[in-house]
Amino acid sequence: MGGAMAHVTLRVLHGADRGKVFERLPTPVTIGREEGNSIQLNDERISRFHLKLQDDNEKIVLTDLESTNGTRVNGEDIQVRIVRDGDMIALGRSLLLVGSHSDIDRRIAAIASRLPPAEEAQARQVGERLRRIVNAAADSEADAPDVPSLLPGAPPPLPSRLSPAQSAEMAELLDYVQAVLREATAGMQMRPGHDRVEIDFLHWQVLLDLQARLANLLRRIGDPP
């Protein structure tokens, strides 16, 4: 986000429109279920005109338009809130992530640069491990900043030449993983003015259990009985 005219990128993580990407929309942006919004979402729990994003002094301000079911940013109910790249907006059954990969990399790099040297080095090591795990390709976005990326740029490609049954099984597995992640992240909070995300013990254990299940699955794939 930024420049002479403020733009915002939104990615739909959950909901009927899951997977859609709305790239660099010029502000103001309205979101709702009616035609006439900048973003029309297929969600019966979203109001006709649910929220508005607008530029004010180089900041993106989210305003809930007196919606029926309200809006949450980073786990907190809000009426008006400045949103930044990497923030999560929950409305109805939908969850939106603010920012492109490179936008969020920029914010993470800025946060890491404010950490004590030891913590900054640790944060960068975590990013390096993530990239090695997913064997990610470099982020190819044109506006990518010239800073070390702390998130994997892209996942490995899906297997090719799957049969219909295998495709369905793969979809079920990925749906399961996403459902667990959705449940776990629903309990997180990021308080205004802080750079740390808080998550309760139950949701933390959900994430650890998912890691354990995936580790077991990978072992079974690599060493079948």
Side-chain angles (χ1 to χ4, degrees):
M1 298 182 294
M5 175 180 289
H7 294 79
V8 63
T9 293
L10 297 166
R11 290 180 275 165
V12 185
L13 300 185
H14 306 300
D17 297 283
R18 181 178 64 182
K20 286 188 177 180
V21 179
F22 301 92
E23 294 192 56
R24 292 187 56 78
L25 297 178
T27 55
V29 171
T30 59
I31 303 175
R33 69 170 195 271
E34 284 276 304
E35 292 184 11
N37 284 285
S38 311
I39 297 176
Q40 183 183 11
L41 295 178
N42 181 23
D43 187 334
E44 73 278 4
R45 297 197 62 186
I46 290 177
S47 296
R48 294 170 57 246
F49 292 89
H50 195 103
L51 64 84
K52 182 178 185 179
L53 295 161
Q54 58 190 342
D55 173 41
D56 185 9
N57 196 27
E58 297 186 352
K59 293 180 173 63
I60 299 297
V61 179
L62 184 154
T63 304
D64 181 272
L65 300 176
E66 299 184 358
S67 64
T68 302
N69 293 312
T71 302
R72 295 169 68 85
V73 173
N74 296 334
E76 291 194 347
D77 293 311
I78 63 95
Q79 180 61 42
V80 178
R81 173 67 56 85
I82 293 172
V83 294
R84 300 170 176 84
D85 299 315
D87 285 348
M88 293 197 307
I89 303 171
L91 62 163
R93 302 183 191 278
S94 302
L95 183 65
L96 310 181
L97 177 63
V98 180
S100 65
H101 293 294
S102 59
D103 291 332
I104 295 173
D105 277 349
R106 256 193 298 270
R107 184 179 181 189
I108 293 173
I111 291 172
S113 69
R114 296 196 295 269
L115 296 173
E119 291 186 32
E120 180 182 2
Q122 183 180 27
R124 296 190 182 280
Q125 288 170 7
V126 169
E128 289 296 331
R129 286 201 301 271
L130 282 170
R131 278 198 297 279
R132 287 198 297 269
I133 289 170
V134 300
N135 192 24
D139 194 325
S140 60
E141 294 183 68
D143 63 341
D146 186 21
V147 296
S149 173
L150 297 179
L151 289 178
L158 288 172
S160 58
R161 299 179 181 176
L162 295 178
S163 70
Q166 289 172 326
S167 295
E169 289 172 343
M170 176 69 72
E172 287 182 356
L173 175 61
L174 294 177
D175 273 336
Y176 167 76
V177 172
Q178 194 186 45
V180 173
L181 293 174
R182 178 174 65 244
E183 175 64 26
T185 55
M188 61 76 69
Q189 283 193 331
M190 185 173 182
R191 304 194 184 283
H194 295 268
D195 293 329
R196 294 185 180 273
V197 173
E198 298 176 2
I199 187 168
D200 61 50
F201 184 77
L202 173 61
H203 290 95
W204 173 241
Q205 291 304 306
V206 167
L207 290 175
L208 293 180
D209 181 67
L210 175 61
Q211 289 186 56
R213 289 173 184 265
L214 291 176
N216 180 260
L217 178 62
L218 289 168
R219 184 179 183 86
R220 287 162 53 195
I221 292 172
D223 186 18

